[in-house]
Amino acid sequence: MKNWKLKEIVVMSVLSVVFAVVYLAFLPVGKVLTGFFGPIGYDLIFGIWFIVSIIAAYIIRKPGAAFLSETIAATVEVLLGNAAGPMLLISGMIQGLGAESAFAMTGYRRYNLGTLMFSGMMAAVFSFVWGYFQSGYAALAGGYVLLMFVTRLVSGVILAGVAGKALSDALAKTGVLSGFALGKEKRKKHAA
Amino acid sequence: MYLNNLNPSVKALTILGLVVALALLFDPVTPALFTLCTIAVTFLFGDFRRKYYLFYLIPFTIFAIGMLWTTIAFADAPKNPAETIGLIWWEVPREDVLVALSLSFRVLAFATMSLLFIFTTNMVEFLLSLMQQLRLPPKLAYGIMAGYRFLPMLTTEFRQIRAAHRVRGMGRESRWKRYRRFAVPLLAGAIRKAERTAVAMESKGFTGTRERTFYRNIRVRKKDWLFPAGMGAIFLLLILLSLRFDYFSWYQGQL
Amino acid sequence: MNVQNLSLQYDDMDAPILQNVTFSLGEKECVLLLGASGSGKSTLSRCLTGIYPKELEGTMEGEVTFEGKPVKDAATGTMSRRVGTVFQDPETQFCMLTVEDEVAFGLENICVPSEKMEKRVETALEEVGLLHKKEAAVISLSGGEKQKLALACILAMEPPVIVLDEPTANLDPVATDEFVSLLRSLKELKNITIFVIEHDLDPWIDITDRVLMLGRNGSLFYDGPLQQGVDRYARSLYEEGIAVPGAVRVAMESGRTAPPYPLTARGLAPGLSAPLKAPPHRENGPSLMQASGISYKSIFSNVNVTISEGSFTAITGPNGSGKTTLCRLLAGIDPVSSGRITRPFPDKDWFQHAGYVFQNPEHQFLTDSVWEELAYSGAEDEKIEELLEWCGLTDRKEFHPFTLSQGEKRRLSVATMLVKNQEILFLDEPTFGQDAKSTSRLMNLLEEKHRAGTTIVMITHDMDLVDRYATRVVVMKDRKIGFTGDPDELWNEDLAAFQLKEPFRVRTNRLIKGDMYVPQ
């Protein structure tokens, strides 16, 4: 925590609070989709639930951003009354670890589209493995489980990786990120 | 009331421990009984608005019922398809029903435990306790606190933006584009405010080090240990019961 | 406290924001720094408190010293014991949920022993008159109370210097006066140096010992007593974005008074032979919109209002009296709970004919550039050029709307509402928190539209604007209509009961007649 600036922590925490609300708002969407397609309904939009990791890490670029933001978001979700309760906290931490692992593998140096997509994918992998044991996917048919897994991977890559980057870049254009790693990078590019 | 005055860290760790322990079991009866015990403890020893509790519990119950139905409907091929149970007009394998019931009651048990925590814990005291008992860095704790304060502000902002966009004649575009148009002003405003808050905190001498005193000192007292002891005892009793009546089973990545 | 040859440049700007700034603050002095928005006032305050150069993304030259020691060498966090800051935005200077925790936060940071804290928290709250709110949630306070709380947080830490960065910019005039008089009494009571950063000098005239004037180029052009400064620079203050005191403006316009200029109505009145004239033409057209017996949730019930065609209607009243709610209902943004509003256009394409400018212009921006912003509303290229020209944003058309200055943002949001030549324009406090120059630019634009026949409905706290521009005024009080009618009639009502301040013109005229004592 030493090399984090206070403003980075507050911004990360605000992002987590915003997305905790977004996450909650997408639960009923997931429920409707589940009604249509079965458990795979959630996997279609699962990437949404990784997005804060990617945005926070992409903007702040410090080790721990992906993990902490997702954990805080999960905590806020629980405090606001998510049905999964304390289990959600653990799921959040595991998703965060997944996203974080991708940035760790690149040595926290590369923050291009590829890395962000990879990060969304890793979050999907971690969360699926956890879900397999925790929510009893094993009770479902094998082919169906595989389909769920692939769906979640794609969702993580697109909804978290690609959409997360697009949203952060749109934010950077407003100039409010000038004091953060992403804003500084844009400025350097602009000057060059 | 006892639960409200309980040390928040002790409370949180106890609940987390019980959740992990429950996650290791897999039968329909233990979590069902445990859910009832948790609700009883909450009502006996907690001070909160009873009406709101029900207001929160109902969606959780609906969620659990939904889970029950989907697990049955999308179940793997059972080992003993011959044993079935009639659910109104629908014959389903007994095994599937048991799995589904176990999963659903587990969800309810988790939910009631988190409600116990949410309804009897003050957020500020929880963060203070995390700092004072569990050594959470103050920089992170106060950073989170500052962010959490934004919640009501963000709701008003969101309404404002929605109304403002309506005046501009939004609605001709795809859903994703609309989300983006919403998200950018909301997040941009929030980030700018977060930065200002951080500056204000630092100007009041906040450095984030552990060297600080506290206005509210949260301590662990002897009576705080009653909660883990009591909840642990209930849990063990339920396990003994389940062993006695032979429905006990471990969770094996079911099934 | 000493500032020596301070220059500062941000990495993302082309020109330095501060140039060679040198001044000093004496003990127990109250110094006012005047400058336009964006002239580097806040930057300077960050240098004084030691936030810069630590947090600075840019370069800083020169030196700031406190009692002879350089501020930049002070260990992190220790400067807060010497210099405390009250910021402009009441919403973003707190991090705790309750009033007492917030005051205690600063004490915790400087390691005041737990057992001594309660006493210091209570003393500080007592000094600002908030002791009765000790256990209240910060969010339940009004804007004025929040600023007092911010002051209490600083007082509790007992620093010898207090910096106030536009502390009243987001407060209404009554709350502003209250805040300033609180500071005045504290100044007499305690041994503190006060450094106020402002663009509006009027409320601070009595309490100021010395003024500094900061130009748009980032250098100080005056350091000395208020009266001389005003006498010498009265004519250029406006260009520098600093609000010229009402008395000075009138004295200059009347042309009869040479320096020294009177600074207040009290000083001005004796020199005038005739009362100041009311602005001409206050006619109202036939009824355009009519609200009869409207109610909204539990906020208010059974309100009747008529908006006349071609009128300039001002809605005013204290904070929380329901001004914004009324305006939103009239504009059709919120649906009425009961009652009826008759509008001259069908609901379906109502927003083709009516525009609404929100208090925060950023909420209304949808695109990534000024040009697209106007194009989004369906304007042709020619119309866009014309509007950009009209609101003075032609050279900004490629900019992202969020990167504009406050005044520019406001003008752009007004422009987006005029793309379809809307006949009715609603505005929610469009001049709030802006410096004198952007206020008058905006008001000129609105006045021009009004003369061309647009009906304008505007929420404002500023009675001088009401006096100058409004043809009709609606005063809200306790969620009811307290008064409707001509502004001139309003000035004869008991304004204090509505928590309003007399406009400068009316105050001066009363002094000429001598029929009323005006406390200043």
Side-chain angles (χ1 to χ4, degrees):
Chain A
M1 234 51 263
K2 276 264 159 57
N3 57 357
W4 281 66
K5 287 186 177 165
L6 182 63
K7 67 175 178 187
E8 289 168 335
I9 296 180
V10 181
V11 163
M12 174 182 75
S13 132
V14 168
L15 287 173
S16 306
V17 169
V18 174
F19 282 99
V21 179
V22 173
Y23 289 0
L24 277 177
F26 271 91
L27 273 183
V29 180
K31 271 178 206 159
V32 171
L33 289 173
T34 314
F36 280 115
F37 305 106
I40 203 172
Y42 271 113
D43 295 285
L44 287 171
I45 56 162
F46 219 99
I48 291 281
W49 286 292
F50 311 143
I51 200 168
V52 78
S53 283
I54 276 122
I55 293 179
Y58 182 48
I59 290 178
I60 299 170
R61 306 191 177 184
K62 295 242 162 107
F67 170 69
L68 284 172
S69 55
E70 193 72 33
T71 307
I72 300 170
T75 316
V76 174
E77 256 187 286
V78 173
L79 290 172
L80 292 176
N82 181 300
M87 271 331 231
L88 182 93
L89 244 173
I90 299 173
S91 321
M93 290 166 109
I94 287 172
Q95 291 168 14
L97 274 180
E100 187 76 41
S101 71
F103 295 110
M105 277 186 251
T106 61
Y108 297 102
R109 269 190 289 271
R110 273 200 304 278
Y111 287 89
N112 50 23
L113 182 61
T115 313
L116 299 185
M117 284 162 74
F118 180 50
S119 172
M121 201 175 88
M122 288 310 288
V125 171
F126 273 55
S127 88
F128 198 84
V129 172
W130 165 247
Y132 189 83
F133 291 110
Q134 191 250 322
S135 318
Y137 296 158
L140 306 170
Y144 192 78
V145 173
L146 187 68
L147 187 63
M148 277 170 73
F149 180 61
V150 175
T151 313
R152 192 177 298 189
L153 277 187
V154 174
S155 177
V157 168
I158 306 288
L159 293 186
V162 178
K165 181 171 191 297
L167 190 57
S168 313
D169 287 338
L171 263 178
K173 279 193 201 147
T174 65
V176 296
L177 296 178
S178 63
F180 299 87
L182 175 60
K184 282 180 211 165
E185 183 202 64
K186 300 260 161 185
R187 199 161 63 226
K188 265 193 212 120
K189 267 191 200 152
H190 196 72
Chain B
M1 290 298 271
Y2 179 69
L3 282 180
N4 300 64
N5 296 328
L6 191 61
N7 181 288
S9 292
V10 172
K11 194 167 17 177
L13 287 181
T14 308
I15 288 175
L16 216 56
L18 288 168
V19 165
V20 172
L22 264 179
L24 295 174
L25 302 180
F26 204 81
D27 71 78
V29 188
T30 318
L33 290 175
F34 195 75
T35 303
L36 291 178
C37 292
T38 311
I39 296 178
V41 168
T42 316
F43 274 76
L44 284 175
F45 301 108
D47 182 21
F48 54 88
R49 303 273 287 276
R50 303 305 200 232
K51 203 168 70 185
Y52 284 113
Y53 188 90
L54 292 177
F55 185 71
Y56 269 79
L57 190 62
I58 289 166
F60 285 36
T61 317
I62 295 171
F63 181 76
I65 294 171
M67 192 152 174
L68 184 73
W69 131 251
T70 47
T71 323
I72 294 174
F74 293 90
D76 203 354
K79 286 180 201 107
N80 303 310
E83 288 181 56
T84 56
I85 294 176
L87 282 181
I88 317 176
W89 63 84
W90 187 31
E91 291 280 312
V92 285
R94 179 168 187 273
E95 202 182 290
D96 289 350
V97 176
L98 286 184
V99 169
L101 276 176
S102 307
L103 282 173
S104 309
F105 276 122
R106 200 159 71 164
V107 164
L108 265 186
F110 294 161
T112 48
M113 275 193 281
S114 88
L115 284 185
L116 182 150
F117 187 80
I118 295 170
F119 273 82
T120 62
T121 313
N122 173 312
M123 164 79 184
V124 176
E125 280 174 11
F126 181 42
L127 274 171
L128 287 173
S129 169
L130 284 179
M131 265 186 288
Q132 295 174 25
Q133 268 86 53
L134 300 180
R135 308 273 299 152
L136 183 74
K139 213 179 197 173
L140 190 58
Y142 283 97
I144 294 174
M145 192 109 70
Y148 191 70
R149 273 200 75 240
F150 277 66
L151 202 55
M153 218 190 294
L154 288 166
T155 351
T156 7
E157 290 264 292
F158 177 77
R159 292 212 188 94
Q160 292 282 357
I161 294 173
R162 198 173 49 188
H165 285 189
R166 208 165 62 229
V167 178
R168 296 283 318 261
M170 285 262 295
R172 290 165 268 165
E173 298 166 314
S174 75
R175 182 178 286 258
W176 288 109
K177 223 167 178 177
R178 272 212 311 264
Y179 282 146
R180 209 204 84 160
R181 294 206 195 279
F182 257 106
V184 171
L186 190 73
L187 288 175
I191 289 171
R192 203 159 20 205
K193 284 181 182 152
E195 239 185 306
R196 270 188 235 145
T197 307
V199 168
M201 286 165 76
E202 278 172 340
S203 83
K204 284 182 201 158
F206 183 73
T207 52
T209 57
R210 290 186 193 277
E211 292 151 42
R212 64 186 286 110
T213 50
F214 288 100
Y215 182 57
R216 294 171 199 272
N217 287 296
I218 312 279
R219 295 196 175 81
V220 183
R221 293 144 305 177
K222 277 202 189 110
K223 63 173 185 181
D224 289 331
W225 297 111
L226 268 174
F227 181 67
M231 292 303 279
I234 293 175
F235 188 70
L236 281 180
L237 189 75
L238 291 179
I239 299 226
L240 286 177
L241 275 176
S242 71
L243 285 171
R244 173 77 180 71
F245 293 99
D246 204 27
Y247 50 78
F248 179 85
S249 89
W250 292 106
Y251 182 57
Q252 298 150 333
Q254 240 72 359
L255 275 191
Chain C
M1 185 147 221
N2 263 300
V3 177
Q4 270 298 327
N5 296 323
L6 185 69
S7 297
L8 192 142
Q9 177 158 13
Y10 288 109
D11 282 341
D12 53 351
M13 285 195 201
D14 304 330
I17 188 145
L18 292 176
Q19 287 196 61
N20 254 322
V21 172
T22 301
F23 66 92
S24 64
L25 294 178
E27 238 175 276
K28 275 210 85 171
E29 216 182 359
C30 178
V31 177
L32 185 64
L33 175 80
L34 293 167
S37 325
S39 64
K41 301 195 301 292
S42 300
T43 308
L44 184 58
S45 87
R46 288 176 180 202
C47 295
L48 294 185
T49 50
I51 295 172
Y52 290 164
K54 285 192 187 75
E55 292 281 324
L56 177 66
E57 322 274 352
T59 47
M60 176 174 153
E61 284 163 39
E63 196 164 55
V64 183
T65 53
F66 182 83
E67 286 175 351
K69 291 185 209 87
V71 165
K72 66 170 190 288
D73 296 344
T76 345
T78 52
M79 266 318 280
S80 61
R81 295 173 192 226
R82 300 171 198 157
V83 184
T85 318
V86 175
F87 295 89
Q88 173 182 350
D89 184 357
E91 306 303 327
T92 57
Q93 29 190 330
F94 307 117
C95 63
M96 302 296 284
L97 302 180
T98 67
V99 168
E100 53 178 332
D101 282 333
E102 190 59 53
V103 181
F105 175 71
L107 300 176
E108 294 175 338
N109 293 335
I110 57 171
C111 297
V112 172
S114 304
E115 60 277 8
K116 288 194 183 148
M117 256 185 233
E118 176 126 35
K119 184 88 197 71
R120 275 174 80 166
V121 169
E122 284 181 355
T123 315
L125 285 174
E126 175 131 49
E127 279 167 348
V128 300
L130 279 182
L131 192 53
H132 61 292
K133 297 265 184 179
K134 187 180 159 202
E135 283 165 25
V138 173
I139 196 167
S140 69
L141 302 183
S142 71
E145 284 171 334
K146 279 185 186 143
Q147 290 304 69
K148 286 183 192 168
L149 171 60
L151 186 60
C153 292
I154 302 307
L155 289 174
M157 296 172 75
E158 299 171 353
V161 181
I162 297 184
V163 175
L164 300 113
D165 187 353
E166 299 198 24
T168 59
N170 292 1
L171 304 184
D172 62 46
V174 175
T176 299
D177 283 354
E178 242 182 81
F179 189 80
V180 176
S181 64
L182 170 66
L183 266 181
R184 182 170 34 224
S185 60
L186 283 174
K187 186 187 166 215
E188 277 153 25
L189 222 70
K190 305 192 85 157
N191 205 12
I192 42 175
T193 304
I194 299 177
F195 186 66
V196 185
I197 296 174
E198 262 297 344
H199 59 74
D200 186 5
L201 140 78
D202 252 335
W204 302 93
I205 287 175
D206 299 347
I207 135 168
T208 308
D209 298 324
R210 186 154 63 90
V211 288
L212 305 172
M213 294 180 186
L214 187 64
R216 283 189 188 274
N217 60 4
S219 58
L220 283 181
F221 63 87
Y222 180 77
D223 176 355
L226 177 61
Q227 182 73 54
Q228 276 92 308
V230 170
D231 289 346
R232 195 175 321 161
Y233 293 104
R235 278 163 213 289
S236 53
L237 281 183
Y238 173 77
E239 271 312 304
E240 295 291 353
I242 301 170
V244 186
V248 177
R249 202 188 59 233
V250 173
M252 273 169 29
E253 279 165 7
S254 71
R256 266 164 304 196
T257 327
Y261 294 115
L263 294 177
T264 59
R266 180 162 287 276
L268 172 71
L272 294 173
S273 47
L276 300 171
K277 275 198 209 81
H281 66 80
R282 298 227 199 238
E283 302 110 43
N284 288 299
S287 159
L288 178 71
M289 284 180 64
Q290 198 154 21
S292 25
I294 55 168
S295 308
Y296 183 67
K297 294 187 180 159
S298 56
I299 298 181
F300 59 62
S301 59
N302 205 16
V303 166
N304 300 299
V305 186
T306 307
I307 304 290
S308 326
E309 198 172 339
S311 70
F312 194 126
T313 306
I315 301 180
T316 186
N319 276 338
S321 59
K323 300 185 297 292
T324 299
T325 313
L326 176 66
C327 201
R328 287 169 70 112
L329 290 176
L330 287 174
I333 288 178
D334 293 321
V336 291
S337 302
S338 64
R340 248 169 63 83
I341 298 180
T342 48
R343 298 201 177 89
F345 307 103
D347 285 355
K348 186 163 50 71
D349 51 356
W350 166 244
F351 285 120
Q352 308 279 325
H353 298 280
Y356 192 104
V357 178
F358 282 76
Q359 207 180 80
N360 181 350
E362 286 184 2
H363 288 156
Q364 288 182 291
F365 297 148
L366 298 165
T367 67
D368 290 343
S369 80
V370 170
W371 177 277
E372 284 174 60
E373 206 53 52
L374 292 168
Y376 185 89
S377 301
E380 306 286 322
D381 286 4
E382 265 169 58
K383 179 77 183 169
I384 298 177
E385 290 287 0
E386 180 198 320
L387 279 168
L388 286 176
E389 187 71 46
W390 177 70
C391 60
L393 289 174
T394 307
D395 57 335
R396 291 276 190 274
K397 64 184 171 196
E398 303 292 328
F399 280 53
H400 194 288
F402 279 68
T403 58
L404 300 176
S405 76
Q406 279 301 325
E408 289 167 341
K409 277 180 198 160
R410 189 75 60 174
R411 294 202 296 278
L412 175 61
S413 69
V414 171
T416 59
M417 287 300 142
L418 294 171
V419 164
K420 299 262 156 70
N421 288 322
Q422 276 89 335
E423 289 95 333
I424 311 172
L425 192 57
F426 297 89
L427 303 110
D428 190 348
E429 301 200 44
T431 61
F432 215 45
Q434 295 195 50
D435 66 32
K437 199 169 176 187
S438 16
T439 297
S440 72
R441 273 189 89 165
L442 180 73
M443 289 314 295
N444 288 342
L445 292 179
L446 290 179
E447 175 67 3
E448 191 188 319
K449 276 283 146 194
H450 175 230
R451 247 185 260 130
T454 310
T455 305
I456 291 178
V457 180
M458 179 172 105
I459 299 178
T460 184
H461 283 295
D462 189 332
M463 289 304 117
D464 290 315
L465 293 183
V466 174
D467 187 47
R468 246 176 109 178
Y469 299 102
T471 58
R472 192 179 167 76
V473 54
V474 175
V475 183
M476 297 291 291
K477 196 199 171 202
D478 298 333
R479 294 152 184 192
K480 288 192 189 74
I481 304 275
F483 170 90
T484 43
D486 193 278
D488 288 325
E489 290 163 36
L490 176 64
W491 312 140
N492 295 322
E493 299 276 318
D494 180 13
L495 286 173
F498 297 127
Q499 287 194 46
L500 299 176
K501 270 179 82 173
E502 268 178 334
F504 178 77
R505 179 184 68 84
V506 178
R507 190 163 64 229
T508 311
N509 287 348
R510 285 206 204 289
L511 284 167
I512 295 175
K513 287 183 213 145
D515 62 351
M516 199 180 149
Y517 171 71
V518 177
Q520 242 308 320

